[in-house]
Amino acid sequence: MSYILQSNLPATPELINELKAEFGLDKSLLTQYALWLKDAIRLDFGTSYMTGRSVSEDFLHFLPTTLMLVCCGFVLSFACSLLLGILSAYYHNRLLDFVIRIFCFVGVSMPNFWLAFLLVLFFSVYLGWLPAVGMEGGKSFILPSVSIALMSMCINARLIRANMLEVQKERYVVYAKMRNIRGVRLHIVHIFYNAFLPILTAMGMHIGELIGGAIVIECVFALPGIGLYSIQGIANHDYPVIECFIVVMCVCFVVCNAIVDILYSVLDPRVRATMQKQKGKIL
């Protein structure tokens, strides 16, 4: 099939009919969709137009690199956003708070691909500390992880700061202060815990955004992941590859939202109580 598409053979009626029969385009749209959906459920997205290999097998081959990049970016974003958000709320309207807010503003405004170029220029070209492209062990994930994590990190830090400042006005915080609970215990146990729950939704959505950001970042750093593979498929109009990537992205968003909902029920007793009441009414 691929050699026919890449060749310069004339588009004769016989060749067109042969390709239509091979791709199933001679059937009705409803039948085509039903056949595609049946194969997609079995994770069979056909063969690549350009390579002639199974798209699903290629995705499984490139997936570990992307998962490693996304996991590193998420851990970095999660840890740093917690630190920055808590410090910014703790030192509200002081020098450190203003520094963190300026840093977050710049981080949110900077595209990840532009940050990637700056990191390569500074740490790879000028200093020579880290590799610019390719896979050279764990250090090859440092710059890409920072590139995809910065925006999510800054957004979450600002959300944590805003929520903690809002929670400080609640009555239970005032009562805790009346019981002489101060300092770290007040901010972590009574303020941060209650302010963190709404952040779960944003962090769940950011996992999908990290996967989407990996598309561009893998191209910048030439990492052999599904992002680079999908970009090549888009450039070559390789539709089975594009379809597989879209389905994978949709599944990731759905799974992340489901995990967030489960975590809500585990961490928030109010959600558990509501679910039990609804369950009792049904029974």
Side-chain angles (χ1 to χ4, degrees):
M1 175 181 62
S2 59
Y3 72 89
I4 295 178
L5 294 175
Q6 298 178 44
S7 64
N8 293 321
L9 295 175
T12 60
E14 293 79 8
L15 182 59
I16 294 175
N17 292 331
E18 179 183 349
L19 290 175
K20 283 184 176 180
E22 186 171 358
F23 294 139
L25 299 177
D26 55 342
K27 302 178 177 62
S28 65
L29 289 177
L30 184 61
T31 303
Q32 293 179 43
Y33 177 72
L35 293 174
W36 176 86
L37 184 60
K38 181 186 70 173
D39 293 336
I41 294 174
R42 297 183 302 173
L43 301 180
D44 181 9
F45 294 92
T47 58
S48 171
Y49 293 167
M50 304 305 298
T51 64
R53 297 192 301 268
S54 171
V55 174
S56 300
E57 293 180 359
D58 285 345
F59 255 71
L60 291 177
H61 174 72
F62 294 118
L63 186 59
T65 302
T66 301
L67 289 179
M68 179 63 71
L69 175 60
V70 172
C71 288
C72 293
F74 178 76
V75 171
L76 180 63
S77 173
F78 180 78
C80 293
S81 62
L82 291 183
L83 178 63
L84 294 177
I86 294 174
L87 290 176
S88 183
Y90 188 80
Y91 294 98
H92 178 53
N93 284 340
R94 288 186 248 179
L95 178 60
L96 184 59
D97 179 30
F98 286 113
V99 172
I100 293 176
R101 290 165 63 185
I102 293 174
F103 172 78
C104 291
F105 176 78
V106 174
V108 171
S109 305
M110 183 177 296
N112 54 12
F113 65 88
W114 178 246
L115 174 63
F117 289 134
L118 294 179
L119 293 177
V120 168
L121 179 65
F122 187 74
F123 290 100
S124 299
V125 178
Y126 289 161
L127 299 178
W129 291 353
L130 297 170
V133 295
M135 289 290 295
E136 297 184 17
K139 60 183 180 180
S140 297
F141 289 97
I142 297 178
L143 297 183
S145 299
V146 175
S147 300
I148 66 172
L150 181 64
M151 183 177 294
S152 297
M153 176 201 314
C154 296
I155 293 175
N156 291 333
R158 294 172 66 177
L159 287 175
I160 292 173
R161 175 187 180 275
N163 286 349
M164 289 185 66
L165 294 178
E166 187 67 26
V167 168
Q168 288 181 9
K169 304 174 184 178
E170 299 293 336
R171 291 184 178 180
Y172 56 82
V173 176
V174 177
Y175 295 155
K177 292 179 180 179
M178 294 173 62
R179 299 200 311 269
N180 201 27
I181 299 176
R182 306 284 179 177
V184 176
R185 182 183 176 188
L186 175 67
H187 281 78
I188 299 299
V189 177
H190 295 274
I191 298 178
F192 170 72
Y193 180 79
N194 294 282
F196 176 71
L197 292 177
I199 309 300
L200 284 176
T201 303
M203 289 189 172
M205 295 297 295
H206 285 170
I207 296 178
E209 294 178 3
L210 290 175
I211 298 176
I215 301 176
V216 178
I217 297 304
E218 286 179 1
C219 293
V220 175
F221 292 96
L223 294 178
I226 62 174
L228 181 60
Y229 179 65
S230 301
I231 287 293
Q232 293 174 347
I234 294 172
N236 295 321
H237 301 281
D238 202 342
Y239 294 109
V241 175
I242 300 173
E243 292 171 356
C244 184
F245 177 75
I246 293 175
V247 171
V248 169
M249 288 291 297
C250 294
V251 170
C252 288
F253 272 100
V254 172
V255 170
C256 291
N257 288 331
I259 293 175
V260 168
D261 292 338
I262 295 173
L263 289 177
Y264 257 111
S265 63
V266 173
L267 297 176
D268 194 341
R270 295 170 297 181
V271 176
R272 291 199 302 269
T274 303
M275 293 175 62
Q276 290 176 357
K277 289 181 180 179
Q278 293 177 352
K279 183 177 179 181
K281 291 180 180 179
I282 294 175
L283 296 177

